[in-house]
Amino acid sequence: MNIGTQILKIRKEKALTQEEFGKIFHVTRQTVSNWENEKSYPDLQILIDIKCRSRSHGVYTSKVEDLHEDYLRPQENGSHTDCDYVCVSNDKMTLSAAGKKTIAFNASEYTQEELTNKKHGYELEKCGSTVLCIDYSQNGIGSNSCGPVLSEKYQLNEEKFTFDVKLVLHNR
């Protein structure tokens, strides 16, 4: 799905007109129309803001295999942020994780090493287990290598932090 289609989908899910959507991000209705029709693209900062504002807080269920995004070059993906907890289950047991503050996580059929070392998706080999990564936070995307510097509010600059997570394993 391309960026314009995603923006249109988000706007429709929120039941917003192009004008209402534009006001949120301080752009005109015509600008939103241009994004949706792929005539232009939002700045990186606006894309990040759209992503952050488009998510909803709730309880979701998914198969781990459905969380994988098959990028051109394999890489870590599918991070879910601002989560109160996560539960990963099979037919025998459930592992639950919750933090004192919200957490970020991703779950995958591939190890971090597998995603890092392979150059193409067709080379990936499932590890036979669920790999659950629980994160304190994630730095936003962007590096100023080919675009603007990442806005400070999306940078993870903390040198020291405390991260408390409670893990509970129980039989089903």
Side-chain angles (χ1 to χ4, degrees), residues 10-64:
I10 290 166
R11 183 177 64 78
K12 297 265 183 179
E13 285 173 354
K14 300 291 183 184
L16 297 171
T17 66
Q18 288 179 334
E19 186 172 343
E20 292 167 332
F21 193 83
K23 284 182 182 178
I24 293 169
F25 300 103
H26 309 287
V27 297
T28 65
R29 182 210 58 80
Q30 185 61 49
T31 299
V32 175
S33 176
N34 287 341
W35 294 344
E36 293 177 354
N37 293 302
E38 301 279 326
K39 292 180 181 175
S40 66
Y41 299 98
D43 293 337
L44 178 61
Q45 198 60 56
I46 292 175
L47 278 174
I48 293 169
D49 287 344
I50 290 171
K51 180 182 179 195
C52 290
R53 290 174 185 245
S54 68
R55 63 184 175 215
S56 60
H57 210 85
V59 177
Y60 301 92
T61 303
S62 181
K63 293 180 181 178
V64 171

Side-chain angles (χ1 to χ4, degrees), residues 15 36 39 44 65 101 113 139 150-151:
E36 293 177 354
K39 292 180 181 175
L44 178 61
E65 64 193 43
K101 297 180 180 177
E113 294 79 11
N139 200 50
L150 186 63
S151 172

Side-chain angles (χ1 to χ4, degrees), residues 62-93:
S62 181
K63 293 180 181 178
V64 171
E65 64 193 43
D66 295 336
L67 298 176
H68 179 75
E69 186 66 39
D70 197 20
Y71 290 117
L72 187 59
R73 182 179 175 109
Q75 58 189 285
E76 183 178 350
N77 66 79
S79 183
H80 298 269
T81 60
D82 196 32
C83 299
D84 296 317
Y85 66 93
V86 59
C87 299
V88 180
S89 302
N90 63 18
D91 57 339
K92 296 179 184 173
M93 60 186 66

Side-chain angles (χ1 to χ4, degrees), residues 82-85 98-104 136 158 162-165:
D82 196 32
C83 299
D84 296 317
Y85 66 93
K100 286 186 177 180
K101 297 180 180 177
T102 59
I103 60 172
Y136 165 73
E158 297 174 59
T162 301
F163 181 41
D164 295 316
V165 177

Side-chain angles (χ1 to χ4, degrees), residues 65-158:
E65 64 193 43
D66 295 336
L67 298 176
H68 179 75
E69 186 66 39
D70 197 20
Y71 290 117
L72 187 59
R73 182 179 175 109
Q75 58 189 285
E76 183 178 350
N77 66 79
S79 183
H80 298 269
T81 60
D82 196 32
C83 299
D84 296 317
Y85 66 93
V86 59
C87 299
V88 180
S89 302
N90 63 18
D91 57 339
K92 296 179 184 173
M93 60 186 66
T94 298
L95 173 66
S96 301
K100 286 186 177 180
K101 297 180 180 177
T102 59
I103 60 172
F105 81 90
N106 76 340
S108 178
E109 298 177 298
Y110 307 104
T111 64
Q112 301 301 305
E113 294 79 11
E114 185 73 7
L115 292 166
T116 300
N117 294 331
K118 298 295 170 80
K119 295 190 184 307
H120 305 97
Y122 65 84
E123 298 174 317
L124 291 173
E125 295 179 30
K126 296 176 182 176
C127 70
S129 300
T130 296
V131 177
L132 178 65
C133 298
I134 302 169
D135 297 307
Y136 165 73
S137 185
Q138 292 241 339
N139 200 50
I141 58 172
S143 66
N144 200 30
S145 64
C146 61
V149 158
L150 186 63
S151 172
E152 199 155 319
K153 70 180 178 178
Y154 296 111
Q155 294 177 18
L156 180 58
N157 294 320
E158 297 174 59

